[in-house]
Amino acid sequence: MSEIPGDLKFLKSHEWARVEGDGKVTIGISDHAQGLLGDLVYVELPTIGDRVEAGNACAVVESVKAASDVYSPVTGKVVEVNAALSDKPETINEDAYGEGWVFVVQPDNLDQLNELLSPDEYAELLEEEGH
């Protein structure tokens, strides 16, 4: 199993969130999730300016095996998307916690992140699921 970066928070649906220095939140899918999906062939990104609600689907990743919704861990406005994924969705497979980020939200309330799983809690969740 890959290392889970200590500066991330997780949803049980395998999205990660990283608070940046400017208070924005970068969001992607976990290394575990991309591993389950297999080789990604398409990413449907949200639109800059969209409002997203915590827990709601706002992007889609598709592999040769399946399509999977990407849920936002926070409520706020989409301020950036990783347009490079349109041409190279496999970047998520190669670097899920780095270059494979999906979108950035200017959150309404950073306190929502307190409801997410810590890296240790996420690792426990994966163990409970038998992965």
Side-chain angles (χ1 to χ4, degrees), residues 51-118:
R51 285 210 41 86
V52 294
E53 296 287 326
N56 286 1
C58 54
V60 178
V61 289
E62 275 182 41
S63 71
V64 289
K65 291 197 265 185
S68 182
D69 288 332
V70 178
Y71 299 92
S72 181
V74 293
T75 298
K77 186 169 95 175
V78 176
V79 293
E80 195 175 345
V81 296
N82 191 349
L85 296 177
S86 297
D87 294 327
K88 204 164 176 274
E90 65 272 15
T91 303
I92 295 173
N93 296 118
E94 296 160 4
D95 189 10
Y97 297 125
E99 294 299 313
W101 62 277
V102 180
F103 61 101
V104 178
V105 171
Q106 180 67 59
D108 292 348
N109 183 353
L110 275 175
D111 288 346
Q112 287 181 313
L113 292 169
N114 297 334
E115 298 164 26
L116 303 179
L117 301 173
S118 71

